[in-house]
Amino acid sequence: MPVPVEELKLEIVNAATGKPLDGRAAPGQAGALVVRELPEDGPRPEQWQLVPVQSTQDEQVLVIRNTADGKVLEQPTAAGGVRQGNPADGKKSQQWRVVPVENEAGLYFIESGTDDNVLDLDLDLEADPNASDGNGITVVLRPYDEDAASQRWRLVPAEPERIGDPVLRWARSGHWNGRQSWRLAPSPALRPAPGATPSFSDLLLVLDRFGTDQDAGGWKSEGTVPHPDGQPGWCTGLGLRFLAETGGRAPADVVALKPAKGVVTAAARGDGTFEDEERVLHPPASSASPADLWTFADMTGGGEPGIVVLAADGVRVSPRKEDGTFEPPAGEPALKAFGHGEQAGGWQADKHLRFLTDTTGDGRLDIVGCHDDGVRISLQNEDGTFAPLADEPVLKAFGHGEEAGGWLVDKHPRFLADTTGDGRLDIVGCHDDGVWTSLQNEDGTFAEPLYVLDDFGTAQGWVSVGEHPRFLLKTTGDGTTDVVGFGPHGVVVARGLGDGTFEPSKLVLNDFGTAQGWTPRKHLRFLADVTGDGNPDIVGFGDEGVWVAHNRGDGTFEQARLVCRGFGYDDDAGAWRVGHHPRFVADVTGDGRVDIVGFGGPGVYVARNLHRRFRTR
């Protein structure tokens, strides 16, 4: 876990004993800090905050502050235990470094800011592992010993302070004489707190089609779903349903891949509802395969989307016609590459990532793929054709094969983003050991990858793409591209430095992580601007409904608020299931603010964004 920022409260737990650091002095300890086990009916473990006093790319010096009384950890002036003192600006004896233990995710040394001594216990645990009494074990400073388990510490974030109102429900009460009555009793359900920002309307069933119930079409999603935040992504599988701006602008329409009919749509009316009529946008090709990947994309930058399919024989592009439908698939592919057939390179979805993105800044989308031997790119020409692939990859890295790094689709996310502000896209990837970056040169080639950050990798506890989603995007208005991830302990951000490297990562929110119960089997998590201020917020479809943590504009986030009692996993929130009930945020009213849309059992549900509107509930 990276070092938390100042706002987060946490317990500091000794890894050898499992007992928390406690500043409440016991008799005979003369104010020394201890680790001790607290009784279940006793006081809660003390909480601490890590306050940065000096930070560089190489190290971060901190003050460790007790949240109860504001006192800070202080090194002893002579032999004895570590104590607490009143904070003093620039006092070296109150400064510490929190250093990750190599190859042991979640463990840290707490090191003096003036020398190499670290926090340890005044006890020989090997000689007597149970030698402790109710007063605890004194914490001392000792020279670093890589084999001493007592020098390792865990940082355990406090429970998130989510904002939502409890729901009362009627409960039956029995009486001695056999009579029964009803009373209001608390329930595990929650509802949005009054005044929650952003605010959404209650769920409304706006279309009794495209649902999983038989009366709504009996739809079943199969295959890969698009990114729920609306980022360009490939889709595959019959029964797929999502939202897309098929006309190149909001509002977004309902789009689905229907057996025998192809791509169909229910057009948005602009008021949060949709037309009842299903319209065929793109008939299926005679050679269509379940392995085909397809998406909507504005290929030329002119505002008109096209349908792009990575078929068996290569890349096929169907432009949009004047009547709003798309040219049927016919003729030769635009590029005989990036397809799943052997004649197009044998690209497989579970091994080889492929992107549609403007790598040069000319407004036209190019095709980028990570194959076995590395990164391959086909630039789009002015006439809409694509340059053939070169014999060799443009970069022998970020590929599935061992010679290109052994990157795995389900474990190692890779991104294309401008990390330097020069208008050219660079390649960033999270491997086992952390983050690697390859900068794009002026001539379109790529520099050898550099290891830039020891976080966001499997070695730091980020076990898979599904368990711990990661994103590369701008979290603030300063123009730098940052790394954001939903880690084991919550939301982690590494701010970009504008040169392809990043600041040390920080835990900025104690929520939306696996420690708080968020799992890919039950919940969706992503980033989207739901308030219209230009900064991405955190959106999570949790147990009780939809939670939003508002972006403060500085790379940190407020505590999450329940904004919609619906679209959640619990029965009280609709019993929505990942894999069966796709959910998205998209603008379906055309007012420039995203709404919440879900494909449930009876059909399509919408909760409209009420931000800065007259409230209806």
Side-chain angles (χ1 to χ4, degrees):
M1 182 182 77
V3 176
V5 297
E6 180 179 353
E7 291 85 357
L8 291 187
K9 301 174 183 179
L10 52 93
E11 298 172 19
I12 301 177
V13 179
N14 184 262
T17 63
K19 299 174 182 178
L21 181 69
D22 197 274
R24 291 164 288 212
Q29 293 170 321
L33 289 164
V34 299
V35 297
R36 60 178 171 178
E37 187 171 353
L38 299 172
E40 291 186 4
D41 58 350
R44 298 293 303 161
E46 288 195 305
Q47 294 181 343
W48 310 83
Q49 288 175 304
L50 306 184
V51 184
V53 295
Q54 175 187 336
S55 181
T56 67
Q57 191 171 6
D58 298 324
E59 68 173 14
Q60 186 176 56
V61 179
L62 308 153
V63 169
I64 302 176
R65 181 174 64 196
N66 190 313
T67 61
D69 57 17
K71 292 187 176 181
V72 299
L73 262 64
E74 188 165 19
Q75 304 164 37
T77 55
V82 175
R83 290 168 169 77
Q84 294 187 89
N86 293 317
D89 290 341
K91 193 173 182 180
K92 295 295 184 183
S93 62
Q94 296 179 351
Q95 297 181 2
W96 306 84
R97 289 185 291 268
V98 178
V99 183
V101 179
E102 189 173 355
N103 298 323
E104 295 187 49
L107 296 183
Y108 297 86
F109 298 108
I110 300 179
E111 184 180 89
S112 165
T114 59
D115 53 38
D116 293 333
N117 288 327
V118 297
L119 288 192
D120 200 349
L121 302 183
D122 190 19
L123 181 69
D124 188 348
L125 291 174
E126 292 188 3
D128 188 359
N130 299 312
S132 175
D133 57 26
N135 292 335
I137 308 169
T138 303
V139 177
V140 296
L141 272 178
R142 282 183 175 158
Y144 165 73
D145 181 357
E146 64 178 7
D147 296 322
S150 57
Q151 294 184 357
R152 290 159 164 77
W153 301 83
R154 297 187 188 277
L155 307 179
V156 182
E159 289 296 314
E161 300 172 2
R162 297 174 179 164
I163 301 172
D165 271 5
V167 174
L168 297 178
R169 60 174 51 168
W170 290 104
R172 188 190 302 270
S173 296
H175 301 277
W176 63 271
N177 58 4
R179 298 182 62 184
Q180 291 188 344
S181 61
W182 296 85
R183 61 183 177 84
L184 284 173
S187 78
L190 291 176
R191 64 184 177 188
T197 301
S199 176
F200 289 83
S201 71
D202 293 329
L203 273 70
L204 178 66
L205 180 65
V206 299
L207 185 63
D208 57 357
R209 308 171 72 89
F210 300 102
T212 55
D213 294 350
Q214 288 302 315
D215 291 343
W219 288 75
K220 295 181 180 179
S221 297
E222 301 175 3
T224 305
V225 299
H227 291 286
D229 59 353
Q231 294 181 358
W234 299 105
C235 318
T236 186
L238 297 176
L240 189 70
R241 292 153 289 161
F242 62 101
L243 280 296
E245 296 177 1
T246 64
R249 64 192 68 84
D253 306 314
V254 171
V255 178
L257 184 58
K258 194 167 189 177
K261 283 193 173 182
V263 181
V264 300
T265 185
R269 293 191 176 109
D271 59 357
T273 66
F274 301 91
E275 299 288 349
D276 292 332
E277 178 188 1
E278 285 183 16
R279 186 185 186 196
V280 177
L281 288 180
H282 187 255
S286 58
S287 59
S289 164
D292 291 349
L293 300 179
W294 59 274
T295 189
F296 285 89
D298 178 7
M299 297 298 295
T300 63
E304 288 288 333
I307 292 179
V308 184
V309 180
L310 302 184
D313 55 357
V315 181
R316 292 184 170 273
V317 180
S318 298
R320 185 173 183 270
K321 298 190 295 185
E322 290 186 1
D323 63 358
T325 63
F326 294 80
E327 293 288 351
E332 292 294 314
L335 179 66
K336 294 182 179 180
F338 297 106
H340 53 85
E342 289 300 322
Q343 70 274 32
W347 294 71
Q348 301 177 39
D350 60 348
K351 291 183 178 181
H352 309 128
L353 293 179
R354 282 156 285 179
F355 306 87
L356 275 178
T357 186
D358 179 8
T359 64
T360 63
D362 62 5
R364 297 186 296 273
L365 297 188
D366 311 306
I367 306 175
V368 182
C370 300
H371 208 284
D372 291 335
D373 55 357
V375 180
R376 293 182 172 272
I377 297 179
S378 173
L379 300 180
Q380 185 182 173
N381 302 315
E382 292 185 3
D383 61 358
T385 61
F386 292 87
L389 294 186
D391 293 335
E392 295 293 325
V394 297
L395 182 64
K396 293 183 178 180
F398 299 103
H400 180 78
E402 289 298 323
E403 69 279 4
W407 293 73
L408 305 177
V409 167
D410 61 340
K411 288 187 175 183
H412 306 134
R414 283 149 281 176
F415 311 93
L416 292 166
D418 180 6
T419 64
T420 63
D422 61 5
R424 297 186 296 272
L425 296 189
D426 312 304
I427 305 173
V428 180
C430 304
H431 208 285
D432 293 334
D433 51 358
V435 180
W436 291 78
T437 298
S438 174
L439 300 181
Q440 185 180 173
N441 302 315
E442 291 185 8
D443 60 359
T445 61
F446 288 85
E448 283 298 310
L450 293 176
Y451 180 61
V452 296
L453 189 63
D454 57 348
D455 200 4
F456 300 103
T458 58
Q460 295 87 30
W462 302 72
V463 298
S464 70
V465 171
E467 195 80 14
H468 302 121
R470 281 145 279 180
F471 303 85
L472 206 68
L473 75 175
K474 297 176 181 178
T475 62
T476 65
D478 63 5
T480 62
T481 299
D482 311 317
V483 184
V484 183
F486 298 100
H489 295 276
V491 180
V492 178
V493 174
R495 297 293 306 277
L497 293 172
D499 59 358
T501 65
F502 302 88
E503 293 180 359
S505 57
K506 295 179 181 179
L507 180 68
V508 300
L509 185 64
N510 56 334
D511 207 347
F512 299 102
T514 50
Q516 294 84 29
W518 293 79
T519 68
R521 184 180 64 83
K522 297 169 61 176
H523 310 125
L524 300 174
R525 295 161 288 171
F526 47 88
L527 291 105
D529 178 11
V530 298
T531 59
D533 62 0
N535 296 317
D537 309 298
I538 297 170
V539 182
F541 291 80
D543 291 333
E544 305 88 349
V546 184
W547 294 88
V548 169
H550 180 60
N551 189 328
R552 293 191 177 106
D554 60 356
T556 64
F557 299 86
E558 297 176 356
Q559 290 287 332
R561 294 175 179 264
L562 186 68
V563 300
C564 183
R565 184 187 172 192
F567 301 109
Y569 185 85
D570 288 349
D571 290 345
D572 289 311
W576 294 69
R577 296 294 182 261
V578 173
H580 294 282
H581 307 129
R583 285 154 284 175
F584 306 92
V585 292
D587 181 5
V588 296
T589 62
D591 66 354
R593 298 184 181 92
V594 294
D595 311 289
I596 306 173
V597 184
F599 296 84
V604 182
Y605 288 85
V606 171
R608 293 180 295 109
N609 192 326
L610 302 178
H611 188 57
R612 295 181 182 173
R613 293 190 197 162
F614 177 76
R615 297 187 55 174
T616 59
R617 61 170 175 81

